Amino acid sequence: MMRVDTDVADDVAVLQPQGRLTMVTAPELRQLVAETVRSGRVRVVVDLSATEFLDSSGLGALIAGLKTARQAGGDLRIAGLGPQVATVLQLTNLDRVLRPYGSVAEALSAR
Amino acid sequence: VTANGSVIDLRDRPADDDSRVRALEDLGVLDTGPEERFDRITRLAQHLFGVASASVNLLDRDQQYIKSSHGASLSHGPRAEAICDLTIRGSETLVIEDVAADERFASSSFVTGPPHVRFYAGHPLEAPGGHRIGTLCVTDDRPRPFGPREQALLRELAGWVQNELTQSAELEQAAEVQRRLLPRRSPQIPGYTVAGACLPSRGVGGDFLDWYCSPDDELTVTLGDVMGKGIAAAIIMATVRAALRSTAGSPGPGAAVTEAAATLQEDLEETGTLVTLCHARLSPGSGTLRYTDAGHGLILLLRADGTVRRPTGGGLPLGISDEERWPEGRVVMDPGDLVVAFSDGLLDVFDGTLAALDRVIEVVGGCRSAQEAVDRLTALARGTRLLDDDVTVLAIRRSE
């Protein structure tokens, strides 16, 4: 289940995966980011505030999304991490690549 | 009590639904589309019972997915409205000979509108751990009786679906090959005990564990975790293991991981896979342990005096960037010191956060050998009803 908000700006999409972001749901996110970027919304924020659990496949989808967005001249940012998601990101040192933001608004306003 | 008199198990509360959903996900059939092995069963069931449709349904937290159906067209829908949701609450066949006369479903849209379901019979499907994750059901657009003989047949067919869901000869062979890739016996190093274990959450997994002694008596150990689960992860795991094995000639673990990562980068990128691992070399004489962490982060040094240290600040997982250089850390193991490394599956046995580390420290505290530490941690993982993820543990202890 994925909520998509495209009202923020013409080149922005906010994606909010609900529940568990695992090998079952990760391909959906991966595909959605690819479609979003292709449609010209190259600044993608993944709002993880409704994501209860993230596994390595979920991480893989975020990294793949980041690559896709950067290749199109945009960016992918993540916001609103819960404790489990934050732990996974910290352990893998991927917070160096995917810097977490407190909220969607912060992710959008940061340079 | 259901329409055919079986009692619904009220102990099967939604509180347990999370592990049920995980059991379903672990079967790896939600994301694989239609499959002939299920289609042939629904085809057969539809003909055998002469009903409008037969289907294999999977129920996750909120949705009912049609894995396979034959006959009148059916579509995915909210779980809350599905009769199959009622079926998986019990362990028996659920029969509703006239759905329109059943007040629970009489006003449902699938009764009042297309496909005008008037008859329903469904049998629950169980995952290996016993969770009821879906149904085989037959429906018709007119009421009909469904006697003990027909119920027995439906049960038989449901058993067949269940076998297809949980068994695959090829998977078993793959699991056997993977078991053979794990170290068979602990290395014999005077003054140390070394032990490890790998518990895949399914038949095969993406975790791996490796160790070998080089001619100069140095011990090299690796614990790795390939993104994903099942057979796809297992194939990559074997590749990563081979790449790391070929770095025995490199000067240290940091250089070894950097070299292996360069070899693997293209393959990992192509398959969109990440690999986290820790790789270390121990010089038994001095007790010096040189280690490198590639986004794994789960190594603990428990000193004989009770202090605990968790090395941090390693590099990225493999498969992210071809420019990464992995730094090397160093600790000296004194007599009585214990080093434990484990995969993040063990964190999920607790709450999935770093708070779980304290529990791990508690559990392995006071261990007299590496094997004892590994045994205690694997007992913990085995104690959970259902492994979410592979759990792999490695321990090295310097004897007093």
Coordinates of all heavy atoms in Angstrom, one line a residue, chain B residues 113-200:
Chain B
G113 N -24.6 -8.4 -6.1 CA -24.1 -8.1 -7.5 C -23.2 -9.2 -8.0 O -23.1 -10.2 -7.4
P114 N -22.6 -9.0 -9.2 CA -21.7 -10.0 -9.8 C -20.6 -10.3 -8.8 O -20.1 -9.3 -8.2 CB -21.2 -9.4 -11.1 CG -21.9 -8.0 -11.2 CD -22.7 -7.8 -10.0
P115 N -20.0 -11.5 -8.7 CA -20.5 -12.7 -9.5 C -21.6 -13.4 -8.8 O -21.8 -14.6 -9.1 CB -19.2 -13.5 -9.4 CG -18.5 -13.1 -8.1 CD -18.9 -11.7 -7.9
H116 N -22.5 -12.8 -8.0 CA -23.7 -13.4 -7.5 C -23.4 -14.7 -6.7 O -24.0 -15.7 -7.1 CB -24.7 -13.6 -8.5 CG -25.2 -12.3 -9.1 ND1 -26.0 -11.4 -8.5 CD2 -24.9 -11.7 -10.3 CE1 -26.3 -10.3 -9.2 NE2 -25.6 -10.5 -10.4
V117 N -22.5 -14.6 -5.8 CA -22.2 -15.9 -5.0 C -23.3 -16.3 -4.2 O -23.8 -15.5 -3.4 CB -20.9 -15.6 -4.2 CG1 -20.6 -16.8 -3.3 CG2 -19.7 -15.3 -5.0
R118 N -23.8 -17.5 -4.4 CA -24.8 -18.1 -3.6 C -24.4 -19.3 -2.8 O -25.0 -19.7 -1.8 CB -26.0 -18.5 -4.5 CG -26.8 -17.3 -5.0 CD -27.5 -16.5 -3.9 NE -28.5 -17.3 -3.2 CZ -29.8 -17.5 -3.6 NH1 -30.2 -17.1 -4.7 NH2 -30.6 -18.3 -2.8
F119 N -23.3 -19.9 -3.2 CA -22.7 -21.0 -2.5 C -21.2 -20.9 -2.3 O -20.5 -20.3 -3.2 CB -23.0 -22.3 -3.4 CG -22.1 -23.5 -3.0 CD1 -22.4 -24.2 -1.8 CD2 -20.9 -23.8 -3.6 CE1 -21.6 -25.3 -1.4 CE2 -20.1 -24.8 -3.3 CZ -20.4 -25.6 -2.1
Y120 N -20.8 -21.3 -1.1 CA -19.3 -21.2 -0.8 C -18.9 -22.4 -0.1 O -19.5 -22.9 0.9 CB -19.1 -19.9 0.0 CG -17.7 -19.8 0.5 CD1 -16.7 -19.0 -0.1 CD2 -17.3 -20.5 1.7 CE1 -15.4 -19.0 0.3 CE2 -15.9 -20.4 2.2 CZ -15.0 -19.7 1.5 OH -13.7 -19.6 1.9
A121 N -17.7 -22.9 -0.5 CA -17.0 -23.9 0.3 C -15.6 -23.7 0.3 O -15.0 -23.5 -0.8 CB -17.3 -25.4 -0.2
G122 N -14.9 -23.5 1.4 CA -13.5 -23.2 1.4 C -12.7 -24.0 2.5 O -13.3 -24.3 3.5
H123 N -11.5 -24.3 2.2 CA -10.7 -25.0 3.2 C -9.4 -24.2 3.4 O -8.8 -23.7 2.4 CB -10.3 -26.4 2.7 CG -9.8 -27.3 3.8 ND1 -10.6 -27.9 4.7 CD2 -8.5 -27.5 4.2 CE1 -9.8 -28.6 5.6 NE2 -8.5 -28.3 5.3
P124 N -9.0 -24.0 4.7 CA -7.8 -23.2 5.0 C -6.5 -23.8 4.5 O -6.4 -25.0 4.5 CB -7.9 -23.0 6.5 CG -8.7 -24.1 7.0 CD -9.7 -24.4 5.9
L125 N -5.6 -23.0 4.1 CA -4.2 -23.4 3.7 C -3.3 -23.0 4.8 O -3.3 -21.9 5.2 CB -3.8 -22.8 2.4 CG -4.8 -23.0 1.2 CD1 -4.4 -22.1 0.0 CD2 -4.8 -24.5 0.8
E126 N -2.4 -23.9 5.2 CA -1.4 -23.6 6.3 C 0.0 -23.4 5.7 O 0.4 -24.2 4.9 CB -1.5 -24.7 7.3 CG -2.7 -24.7 8.2 CD -2.7 -25.8 9.3 OE1 -1.6 -26.4 9.4 OE2 -3.7 -25.9 9.9
A127 N 0.7 -22.5 6.3 CA 2.1 -22.3 6.1 C 2.8 -23.4 6.9 O 2.2 -23.9 7.8 CB 2.6 -20.9 6.4
P128 N 4.1 -23.6 6.7 CA 4.8 -24.7 7.5 C 4.7 -24.5 9.0 O 4.7 -25.5 9.7 CB 6.3 -24.6 7.0 CG 6.2 -24.0 5.7 CD 5.0 -23.1 5.7
G129 N 4.6 -23.3 9.5 CA 4.5 -23.0 10.9 C 3.1 -23.2 11.4 O 2.9 -23.0 12.6
G130 N 2.2 -23.5 10.6 CA 0.8 -23.8 11.0 C -0.1 -22.5 10.9 O -1.3 -22.6 11.2
H131 N 0.4 -21.4 10.4 CA -0.4 -20.2 10.2 C -1.3 -20.4 9.0 O -0.9 -20.9 8.0 CB 0.4 -19.0 10.0 CG 1.2 -18.6 11.2 ND1 2.5 -18.9 11.3 CD2 0.9 -17.9 12.3 CE1 3.0 -18.4 12.5 NE2 2.0 -17.8 13.1
R132 N -2.6 -20.1 9.2 CA -3.5 -20.2 8.1 C -3.4 -18.9 7.2 O -3.8 -17.9 7.7 CB -4.9 -20.5 8.6 CG -5.0 -21.8 9.3 CD -6.4 -22.2 9.7 NE -6.9 -21.5 10.8 CZ -6.7 -21.8 12.1 NH1 -6.2 -23.0 12.4 NH2 -7.2 -21.1 13.1
I133 N -2.9 -19.1 6.0 CA -2.5 -17.9 5.2 C -3.4 -17.8 4.0 O -3.3 -16.8 3.3 CB -1.0 -18.0 4.8 CG1 -0.7 -19.4 4.2 CG2 -0.1 -17.8 6.0 CD1 -0.9 -19.6 2.8
G134 N -4.3 -18.7 3.8 CA -5.2 -18.6 2.6 C -6.2 -19.7 2.5 O -6.4 -20.5 3.5
T135 N -6.8 -19.8 1.4 CA -7.8 -20.9 1.2 C -7.8 -21.4 -0.2 O -7.4 -20.8 -1.1 CB -9.3 -20.3 1.4 OG1 -9.5 -19.4 0.4 CG2 -9.5 -19.7 2.8
L136 N -8.3 -22.7 -0.3 CA -8.8 -23.1 -1.6 C -10.3 -23.1 -1.5 O -10.9 -23.7 -0.6 CB -8.3 -24.6 -1.9 CG -9.0 -25.2 -3.1 CD1 -8.5 -24.6 -4.4 CD2 -8.6 -26.7 -3.1
C137 N -11.0 -22.3 -2.4 CA -12.4 -22.3 -2.2 C -13.1 -22.5 -3.6 O -12.6 -22.2 -4.6 CB -12.9 -21.0 -1.5 SG -13.0 -19.6 -2.5
V138 N -14.4 -23.0 -3.5 CA -15.2 -23.1 -4.7 C -16.5 -22.3 -4.4 O -17.0 -22.3 -3.3 CB -15.5 -24.6 -5.0 CG1 -14.3 -25.3 -5.5 CG2 -16.1 -25.3 -3.8
T139 N -17.0 -21.6 -5.4 CA -18.2 -20.8 -5.3 C -19.1 -21.1 -6.5 O -18.7 -21.5 -7.5 CB -18.0 -19.3 -5.2 OG1 -17.4 -18.9 -6.4 CG2 -17.0 -19.0 -4.0
D140 N -20.4 -20.9 -6.2 CA -21.4 -21.1 -7.3 C -22.4 -20.0 -7.3 O -22.6 -19.3 -6.2 CB -22.0 -22.4 -7.3 CG -22.4 -23.0 -8.6 OD1 -22.4 -22.2 -9.6 OD2 -22.6 -24.2 -8.8
D141 N -23.1 -19.8 -8.4 CA -24.1 -18.7 -8.4 C -25.5 -19.3 -8.0 O -26.5 -18.6 -8.3 CB -24.2 -18.0 -9.7 CG -24.3 -18.9 -10.9 OD1 -24.6 -20.2 -10.7 OD2 -24.1 -18.5 -12.1
R142 N -25.6 -20.5 -7.5 CA -26.8 -21.0 -7.0 C -26.5 -21.9 -5.8 O -25.4 -22.4 -5.7 CB -27.5 -21.9 -8.1 CG -26.8 -23.1 -8.5 CD -27.2 -23.7 -9.8 NE -26.7 -22.8 -10.9 CZ -26.9 -23.1 -12.2 NH1 -27.6 -24.1 -12.5 NH2 -26.4 -22.3 -13.1
P143 N -27.5 -21.9 -4.9 CA -27.2 -22.7 -3.6 C -27.1 -24.2 -4.0 O -27.7 -24.6 -5.0 CB -28.5 -22.5 -2.8 CG -29.2 -21.4 -3.4 CD -28.8 -21.3 -4.9
R144 N -26.3 -24.9 -3.2 CA -26.1 -26.3 -3.5 C -25.7 -27.0 -2.2 O -25.0 -26.4 -1.4 CB -25.2 -26.6 -4.6 CG -23.8 -25.9 -4.5 CD -22.9 -26.4 -5.6 NE -22.5 -27.8 -5.3 CZ -21.8 -28.6 -6.1 NH1 -21.5 -28.1 -7.3 NH2 -21.4 -29.8 -5.7
P145 N -26.0 -28.3 -2.1 CA -25.5 -29.1 -1.0 C -24.0 -29.4 -1.2 O -23.5 -29.4 -2.3 CB -26.3 -30.3 -0.9 CG -26.8 -30.5 -2.3 CD -26.8 -29.1 -3.0
F146 N -23.3 -29.7 -0.1 CA -21.9 -30.0 -0.2 C -21.6 -31.0 0.9 O -21.3 -30.6 2.1 CB -21.0 -28.8 -0.1 CG -19.6 -28.9 -0.6 CD1 -19.4 -28.9 -2.0 CD2 -18.5 -28.9 0.2 CE1 -18.1 -29.0 -2.6 CE2 -17.2 -29.0 -0.3 CZ -17.0 -29.0 -1.7
G147 N -21.7 -32.3 0.6 CA -21.7 -33.3 1.6 C -20.3 -33.7 2.1 O -19.3 -33.2 1.6
P148 N -20.2 -34.7 3.0 CA -18.9 -35.1 3.5 C -17.9 -35.6 2.5 O -16.7 -35.4 2.6 CB -19.3 -36.3 4.5 CG -20.7 -36.1 4.7 CD -21.3 -35.4 3.6
R149 N -18.5 -36.3 1.4 CA -17.6 -36.8 0.4 C -16.9 -35.6 -0.4 O -15.7 -35.7 -0.7 CB -18.5 -37.6 -0.6 CG -18.0 -39.0 -0.8 CD -18.9 -39.7 -1.9 NE -18.5 -39.3 -3.2 CZ -17.6 -40.1 -3.9 NH1 -17.1 -41.2 -3.4 NH2 -17.2 -39.7 -5.1
E150 N -17.7 -34.6 -0.7 CA -17.2 -33.5 -1.4 C -16.2 -32.7 -0.6 O -15.2 -32.2 -1.0 CB -18.4 -32.6 -1.9 CG -19.1 -33.2 -3.1 CD -20.5 -32.7 -3.3 OE1 -21.2 -32.7 -2.3 OE2 -20.8 -32.3 -4.4
Q151 N -16.6 -32.6 0.7 CA -15.7 -31.9 1.6 C -14.4 -32.6 1.8 O -13.3 -31.9 1.8 CB -16.4 -31.8 3.0 CG -17.6 -30.8 3.0 CD -18.1 -30.6 4.4 OE1 -17.3 -30.5 5.4 NE2 -19.4 -30.4 4.6
A152 N -14.4 -33.9 1.8 CA -13.1 -34.7 1.8 C -12.3 -34.4 0.6 O -11.0 -34.3 0.7 CB -13.4 -36.2 2.0
L153 N -12.9 -34.4 -0.6 CA -12.2 -34.1 -1.8 C -11.6 -32.7 -1.8 O -10.4 -32.5 -2.2 CB -13.2 -34.2 -3.0 CG -13.3 -35.5 -3.7 CD1 -14.4 -35.4 -4.7 CD2 -12.0 -35.9 -4.3
L154 N -12.4 -31.7 -1.3 CA -11.8 -30.3 -1.3 C -10.6 -30.3 -0.3 O -9.6 -29.6 -0.6 CB -12.9 -29.4 -0.8 CG -12.6 -27.9 -0.7 CD1 -12.4 -27.4 -2.2 CD2 -13.6 -27.1 0.0
R155 N -10.7 -31.0 0.8 CA -9.6 -31.1 1.7 C -8.4 -31.6 1.1 O -7.3 -31.2 1.3 CB -10.1 -31.9 2.9 CG -9.5 -31.5 4.2 CD -10.2 -32.0 5.4 NE -10.7 -33.4 5.3 CZ -11.9 -33.8 5.5 NH1 -12.9 -33.0 5.7 NH2 -12.2 -35.1 5.3
E156 N -8.6 -32.7 0.3 CA -7.5 -33.4 -0.4 C -6.8 -32.3 -1.3 O -5.5 -32.2 -1.4 CB -8.0 -34.5 -1.3 CG -8.2 -35.8 -0.6 CD -6.9 -36.4 -0.2 OE1 -6.0 -36.5 -1.0 OE2 -6.7 -36.8 1.0
L157 N -7.6 -31.6 -2.1 CA -7.0 -30.7 -3.0 C -6.3 -29.5 -2.3 O -5.3 -29.1 -2.7 CB -8.2 -30.1 -3.9 CG -8.8 -31.1 -5.0 CD1 -10.0 -30.4 -5.7 CD2 -7.7 -31.5 -6.0
A158 N -6.9 -29.1 -1.2 CA -6.3 -28.1 -0.4 C -4.9 -28.5 0.1 O -3.9 -27.8 0.1 CB -7.1 -27.7 0.8
G159 N -4.8 -29.8 0.4 CA -3.5 -30.4 0.9 C -2.5 -30.3 -0.3 O -1.3 -30.1 0.0
W160 N -3.0 -30.5 -1.5 CA -2.1 -30.5 -2.6 C -1.6 -29.0 -2.8 O -0.4 -28.8 -3.0 CB -2.9 -31.0 -3.9 CG -2.1 -31.0 -5.2 CD1 -0.8 -30.8 -5.3 CD2 -2.7 -31.2 -6.5 NE1 -0.5 -30.9 -6.7 CE2 -1.6 -31.1 -7.4 CE3 -4.0 -31.5 -6.9 CZ2 -1.8 -31.3 -8.7 CZ3 -4.2 -31.6 -8.3 CH2 -3.1 -31.6 -9.2
V161 N -2.5 -28.1 -2.7 CA -2.1 -26.7 -2.8 C -1.1 -26.3 -1.8 O 0.0 -25.7 -2.0 CB -3.3 -25.7 -2.7 CG1 -2.9 -24.2 -2.7 CG2 -4.4 -26.0 -3.8
Q162 N -1.3 -26.8 -0.6 CA -0.4 -26.5 0.5 C 1.0 -27.1 0.3 O 2.0 -26.4 0.6 CB -1.0 -27.2 1.8 CG -0.6 -26.5 3.1 CD -1.6 -27.0 4.2 OE1 -2.7 -26.6 4.3 NE2 -1.1 -27.9 5.0
N163 N 1.0 -28.3 -0.3 CA 2.3 -28.8 -0.7 C 3.1 -28.0 -1.7 O 4.2 -27.7 -1.6 CB 2.2 -30.2 -1.2 CG 2.0 -31.3 -0.2 OD1 2.3 -31.0 1.0 ND2 1.6 -32.5 -0.5
E164 N 2.3 -27.5 -2.7 CA 2.9 -26.7 -3.7 C 3.4 -25.4 -3.1 O 4.4 -24.9 -3.5 CB 1.9 -26.3 -4.8 CG 1.5 -27.5 -5.7 CD 2.7 -28.0 -6.5 OE1 3.7 -27.2 -6.7 OE2 2.7 -29.2 -7.0
L165 N 2.7 -24.9 -2.1 CA 3.1 -23.6 -1.5 C 4.4 -23.8 -0.7 O 5.2 -22.9 -0.6 CB 2.0 -23.2 -0.5 CG 0.8 -22.5 -1.0 CD1 -0.3 -22.3 0.1 CD2 1.2 -21.1 -1.6
T166 N 4.5 -24.9 -0.1 CA 5.6 -25.0 0.9 C 6.8 -25.9 0.4 O 7.9 -25.9 1.0 CB 5.1 -25.6 2.2 OG1 4.5 -26.9 1.9 CG2 4.1 -24.7 2.9
Q167 N 6.6 -26.7 -0.6 CA 7.6 -27.6 -1.0 C 8.1 -27.4 -2.4 O 7.3 -27.0 -3.3 CB 7.1 -29.0 -0.9 CG 7.2 -29.6 0.4 CD 6.8 -31.1 0.4 OE1 6.6 -31.7 -0.6 NE2 6.6 -31.6 1.6
S168 N 9.3 -27.6 -2.6 CA 9.8 -27.6 -4.0 C 11.1 -28.4 -3.9 O 12.0 -28.1 -3.1 CB 10.1 -26.1 -4.4 OG 11.1 -26.1 -5.4
A169 N 11.2 -29.4 -4.7 CA 12.3 -30.3 -4.7 C 13.6 -29.5 -5.0 O 14.7 -29.7 -4.4 CB 12.1 -31.4 -5.7
E170 N 13.5 -28.6 -6.0 CA 14.7 -27.8 -6.4 C 15.2 -27.0 -5.2 O 16.4 -26.8 -5.0 CB 14.3 -26.9 -7.5 CG 14.3 -27.7 -8.8 CD 13.8 -26.8 -10.0 OE1 13.9 -25.6 -9.9 OE2 13.3 -27.4 -11.0
L171 N 14.2 -26.4 -4.4 CA 14.6 -25.6 -3.3 C 15.3 -26.5 -2.3 O 16.3 -26.0 -1.7 CB 13.3 -25.0 -2.7 CG 13.5 -23.8 -1.8 CD1 14.0 -22.6 -2.7 CD2 12.2 -23.4 -1.2
E172 N 14.9 -27.7 -2.1 CA 15.6 -28.6 -1.2 C 17.0 -28.9 -1.6 O 17.9 -28.9 -0.8 CB 14.8 -29.9 -1.0 CG 13.6 -29.7 0.0 CD 12.6 -30.8 0.0 OE1 13.1 -31.9 -0.4 OE2 11.5 -30.6 0.3
Q173 N 17.2 -29.1 -2.9 CA 18.5 -29.4 -3.4 C 19.4 -28.1 -3.2 O 20.5 -28.2 -2.8 CB 18.5 -29.7 -4.9 CG 18.0 -31.1 -5.2 CD 17.7 -31.3 -6.6 OE1 18.0 -30.5 -7.5 NE2 17.1 -32.4 -7.0
A174 N 18.8 -27.0 -3.5 CA 19.6 -25.7 -3.3 C 20.0 -25.6 -1.8 O 21.1 -25.2 -1.5 CB 18.7 -24.5 -3.7
A175 N 19.1 -25.9 -0.9 CA 19.3 -25.8 0.5 C 20.5 -26.7 0.9 O 21.4 -26.4 1.7 CB 18.1 -26.1 1.3
E176 N 20.5 -27.9 0.3 CA 21.6 -28.9 0.6 C 22.9 -28.3 0.1 O 23.9 -28.4 0.8 CB 21.2 -30.2 -0.1 CG 22.3 -31.3 0.1 CD 22.6 -31.6 1.6 OE1 21.7 -31.4 2.4 OE2 23.7 -32.0 1.9
V177 N 23.0 -27.8 -1.1 CA 24.2 -27.2 -1.6 C 24.7 -26.1 -0.7 O 25.8 -26.0 -0.3 CB 24.0 -26.6 -3.1 CG1 25.2 -25.8 -3.5 CG2 23.8 -27.8 -4.0
Q178 N 23.7 -25.3 -0.3 CA 24.1 -24.1 0.6 C 24.6 -24.6 1.9 O 25.6 -24.0 2.4 CB 22.9 -23.2 0.8 CG 23.3 -21.9 1.4 CD 22.2 -20.9 1.4 OE1 21.0 -21.2 1.6 NE2 22.5 -19.7 1.1
R179 N 24.0 -25.6 2.5 CA 24.5 -26.2 3.7 C 26.0 -26.6 3.6 O 26.8 -26.5 4.5 CB 23.7 -27.4 4.2 CG 22.5 -27.0 5.1 CD 21.9 -28.1 5.8 NE 21.2 -29.1 4.9 CZ 20.0 -28.9 4.4 NH1 19.3 -27.9 4.8 NH2 19.5 -29.8 3.6
R180 N 26.3 -27.2 2.4 CA 27.7 -27.7 2.1 C 28.7 -26.5 2.0 O 29.9 -26.7 2.1 CB 27.7 -28.6 0.9 CG 27.1 -29.9 1.2 CD 27.0 -30.7 -0.1 NE 26.1 -31.9 0.1 CZ 26.6 -33.0 0.6 NH1 27.8 -33.2 1.0 NH2 25.7 -34.0 0.8
L181 N 28.2 -25.3 1.7 CA 29.0 -24.2 1.6 C 29.4 -23.6 2.9 O 30.3 -22.8 3.1 CB 28.4 -23.1 0.7 CG 28.2 -23.3 -0.8 CD1 27.6 -22.1 -1.4 CD2 29.6 -23.7 -1.4
L182 N 28.7 -24.0 4.0 CA 29.0 -23.5 5.3 C 30.1 -24.3 5.9 O 30.3 -25.5 5.5 CB 27.8 -23.7 6.2 CG 26.6 -22.8 6.0 CD1 25.4 -23.2 6.8 CD2 26.9 -21.4 6.2
P183 N 30.9 -23.7 6.7 CA 32.1 -24.5 7.3 C 31.5 -25.7 8.1 O 30.5 -25.5 8.8 CB 32.7 -23.4 8.3 CG 32.0 -22.2 8.1 CD 30.8 -22.3 7.2
R184 N 32.1 -26.8 7.9 CA 31.6 -28.0 8.6 C 32.1 -28.2 10.0 O 31.4 -28.6 10.8 CB 32.0 -29.3 7.7 CG 30.8 -29.7 6.9 CD 31.1 -30.9 6.1 NE 32.2 -30.6 5.1 CZ 32.0 -30.0 4.0 NH1 30.8 -29.6 3.6 NH2 33.0 -29.7 3.1
R185 N 33.4 -27.8 10.2 CA 33.9 -27.9 11.6 C 34.6 -26.7 12.0 O 35.1 -25.9 11.1 CB 34.7 -29.2 11.7 CG 35.9 -29.2 10.8 CD 36.6 -30.6 10.9 NE 35.9 -31.6 10.2 CZ 35.9 -31.9 8.9 NH1 36.6 -31.1 8.1 NH2 35.3 -32.9 8.4
S186 N 34.7 -26.5 13.3 CA 35.4 -25.3 13.8 C 36.8 -25.4 13.6 O 37.4 -26.5 13.7 CB 35.1 -25.1 15.3 OG 33.7 -24.9 15.5
P187 N 37.5 -24.3 13.3 CA 39.0 -24.4 13.2 C 39.6 -24.7 14.5 O 39.1 -24.2 15.5 CB 39.4 -23.0 12.6 CG 38.2 -22.1 12.9 CD 37.0 -23.0 13.1
Q188 N 40.7 -25.5 14.5 CA 41.4 -25.8 15.8 C 42.5 -24.8 15.9 O 43.5 -24.9 15.2 CB 41.9 -27.2 15.8 CG 40.8 -28.3 15.6 CD 39.7 -28.2 16.7 OE1 40.1 -28.2 17.9 NE2 38.4 -28.2 16.3
I189 N 42.3 -23.9 16.8 CA 43.4 -22.9 17.0 C 43.7 -22.9 18.5 O 42.9 -22.6 19.4 CB 42.9 -21.5 16.6 CG1 42.6 -21.5 15.2 CG2 44.0 -20.4 16.9 CD1 41.9 -20.2 14.7
P190 N 45.0 -23.3 18.9 CA 45.3 -23.4 20.3 C 45.1 -22.0 21.0 O 45.4 -21.0 20.4 CB 46.8 -23.7 20.2 CG 47.1 -24.3 18.9 CD 46.1 -23.7 18.0
G191 N 44.5 -22.1 22.1 CA 44.2 -20.9 22.9 C 42.9 -20.2 22.6 O 42.6 -19.2 23.2
Y192 N 42.2 -20.7 21.5 CA 40.9 -20.0 21.1 C 39.8 -21.1 20.9 O 40.1 -22.2 20.6 CB 41.1 -19.3 19.8 CG 42.0 -18.1 19.9 CD1 43.4 -18.2 19.8 CD2 41.5 -16.8 20.2 CE1 44.3 -17.2 20.0 CE2 42.4 -15.7 20.3 CZ 43.7 -15.9 20.2 OH 44.6 -14.8 20.3
T193 N 38.6 -20.6 21.0 CA 37.5 -21.5 20.5 C 36.8 -20.6 19.5 O 36.6 -19.4 19.7 CB 36.5 -21.9 21.6 OG1 36.1 -20.8 22.4 CG2 37.2 -22.9 22.6
V194 N 36.3 -21.2 18.4 CA 35.6 -20.5 17.4 C 34.4 -21.4 17.0 O 34.4 -22.6 17.0 CB 36.5 -20.5 16.1 CG1 35.8 -19.7 15.0 CG2 37.9 -19.8 16.4
A195 N 33.3 -20.7 16.9 CA 32.0 -21.4 16.5 C 31.1 -20.5 15.7 O 31.2 -19.3 15.8 CB 31.3 -21.9 17.8
G196 N 30.2 -21.1 15.0 CA 29.2 -20.3 14.2 C 28.0 -21.2 13.9 O 28.0 -22.4 14.0
A197 N 26.9 -20.5 13.5 CA 25.7 -21.2 13.1 C 24.9 -20.3 12.2 O 25.0 -19.1 12.3 CB 24.9 -21.6 14.3
C198 N 24.2 -20.9 11.3 CA 23.4 -20.2 10.3 C 22.0 -20.9 10.3 O 21.8 -22.0 10.0 CB 24.1 -20.3 9.0 SG 23.5 -19.2 7.7
L199 N 21.0 -20.1 10.7 CA 19.6 -20.6 10.6 C 18.8 -19.9 9.5 O 18.4 -18.7 9.7 CB 18.9 -20.4 11.9 CG 19.5 -20.8 13.3 CD1 18.7 -20.3 14.4 CD2 19.8 -22.3 13.3
P200 N 18.6 -20.5 8.4 CA 17.9 -19.8 7.3 C 16.4 -19.7 7.7 O 15.8 -20.7 8.3 CB 18.1 -20.6 6.1 CG 18.8 -21.9 6.5 CD 19.0 -21.8 8.0

